[in-house]
Amino acid sequence: MILSNENPVAAISVSALGKRVVDATGELHILQDIEFNVQAGETLAIVGASGSGKSTLLGILAGLDTPTAGHVRLDGVDIFNLNEDGRALLRKERLGFVFQSFQLLMHLNALENVMLPLELRGDPNAKEKAQHMLAQVGLSARLKHYPKFLSGGEQQRVALARAFVTEPPLLFADEPTGSLDAATGEAVIELMFDLNRQRGSTLVLVTHDLSIAARCGRTLAISAGRLSA
């Protein structure tokens, strides 16, 4: 089947998405009836208060969590028709993820952390690409430093380098400045948007900071598990 250029497949398509859990108090609806599309190259912010469901939504979009209803399609592929190994392969090949808590491996130095996703792909030029990426985020002098010897801003720069080094078509960021002070957070956000513009990837950013959201092309607000805008 040939797809018309007038109706391209969305980079991300979410339909009737729901997530509920059962605890001692009964059934809790974390997400309800979430629907939206994101086109290739678009930048989207998902905003909401703590506990609104926005981070759960991002985890589901990346296949790190599973919904109880609905569908998520990445470039037309329904990711929950894949098994866990299939979703892991999709993440390895198509996704970059920036976590609020950095999620660096403490026993690896900065260079090794950035090399890791390339090595998992079998890239023979992993070291050179990782060195170049760390230079782009201003850490050429910190290649051999382990995370415990890096500041929070430096750790998040390593995390950005790791997320971008494979040049993923899809990039997800979950409160990427939440663990940083205001000045450091602003520098990290500036760097993230610069890197994203250079590579033309699709960016979905979760934040509670409306000034950060305003830098994206579009914003969705979530409240009590439902889209409100």
Side-chain angles (χ1 to χ4, degrees), residues 109-115 127-144 150 154 157-162 165:
N109 63 33
L111 180 61
E112 292 164 342
N113 265 285
V114 179
M115 287 174 60
K127 184 175 182 179
E128 291 78 9
K129 289 180 179 179
Q131 288 174 326
H132 177 70
M133 195 69 238
L134 284 164
Q136 283 192 270
V137 301
L139 292 177
S140 291
R142 310 288 273 174
L143 301 183
K144 300 299 185 181
L150 299 173
E154 288 171 334
R157 285 171 179 261
V158 174
L160 284 178
R162 182 183 59 189
V165 74

Side-chain angles (χ1 to χ4, degrees), residues 31-113:
L31 297 171
Q32 297 185 70
D33 302 321
I34 303 292
E35 300 210 12
F36 63 90
N37 291 334
V38 184
Q39 301 304 319
E42 189 175 2
T43 56
L44 173 71
I46 300 173
V47 301
S50 296
S52 60
K54 59 187 186 300
S55 290
T56 298
L57 174 57
L58 195 68
I60 290 174
L61 296 184
L64 297 170
D65 195 359
T66 56
T68 49
H71 301 275
V72 174
R73 293 178 175 85
L74 302 182
D75 293 328
V77 177
D78 190 330
I79 64 173
F80 296 108
N81 280 343
L82 303 174
N83 60 22
E84 189 172 334
D85 288 343
R87 290 195 296 274
L89 180 61
L90 182 145
R91 284 193 296 272
K92 183 175 74 171
E93 293 180 344
R94 304 197 59 76
L95 301 183
F97 206 112
V98 182
F99 298 89
Q100 175 179 338
S101 55
F102 319 137
Q103 298 287 349
L104 300 178
L105 296 178
M106 302 304 287
H107 64 285
L108 300 180
N109 63 33
L111 180 61
E112 292 164 342
N113 265 285

